[in-house]
Amino acid sequence: MAFRQMHAQLMGQGIARYPREQVLKRARDDVAALSQILGSKPFILGDTPSSTDALLYAMLILLFEDHELQVDLSSTKDMYPNLAAYVERMKKRYVSKLDKKEI
């Protein structure tokens, strides 16, 4: 049931209407654009993290580390070292703090 709901949402957004290769090309183009926008800045909008960084980190961590994600973007981490460094920077800054907290 969850799959059907997700598929319906993706059809409504339009992305599920494209062939797989076209979706992957769009994803690759988006990642290339993000890499260019980030450049050598520590965070997407400059020297301090923002809510945009939280969103970007969530997307990139899936591409870089989710081995169950059925998408052929595995070389992304190697192609964009600035994004790989960004993910590590965000992980070190925020995720390590979450691991230490008691819930």
Side-chain angles (χ1 to χ4, degrees):
M1 180 152 149
F3 176 79
R4 276 189 252 152
Q5 287 176 338
M6 182 186 293
H7 187 263
Q9 288 176 344
L10 292 173
M11 286 296 283
Q13 293 173 357
I15 196 71
R17 297 173 191 213
Y18 294 102
R20 180 176 172 81
E21 279 308 309
Q22 191 170 359
V23 171
L24 290 175
K25 182 188 179 326
R26 285 177 163 213
R28 287 185 197 103
D29 291 348
D30 288 348
V31 171
L34 287 170
S35 176
Q36 189 173 16
I37 291 166
L38 179 64
S40 61
K41 297 183 301 234
F43 302 102
I44 199 73
L45 298 178
D47 292 332
T48 57
S50 67
S51 58
T52 304
D53 289 291
L55 179 65
L56 180 57
Y57 172 76
M59 184 195 80
L60 291 174
I61 198 71
L62 287 174
L63 290 178
F64 289 176
E65 295 188 8
D66 188 346
H67 303 289
E68 294 182 26
L69 191 62
Q70 302 290 318
V71 179
D72 183 23
L73 293 172
S74 55
S75 63
T76 303
K77 195 174 190 176
D78 297 329
M79 290 174 60
Y80 302 103
N82 68 329
L83 292 179
Y86 171 82
V87 166
E88 289 306 311
R89 194 166 39 255
M90 290 292 288
K91 189 188 302 182
K92 185 180 282 188
R93 186 173 183 135
Y94 294 106
V95 177
S96 64
K97 290 178 183 178
L98 290 175
D99 291 341
K100 293 176 186 174
K101 286 186 179 179
E102 290 185 30
I103 298 176

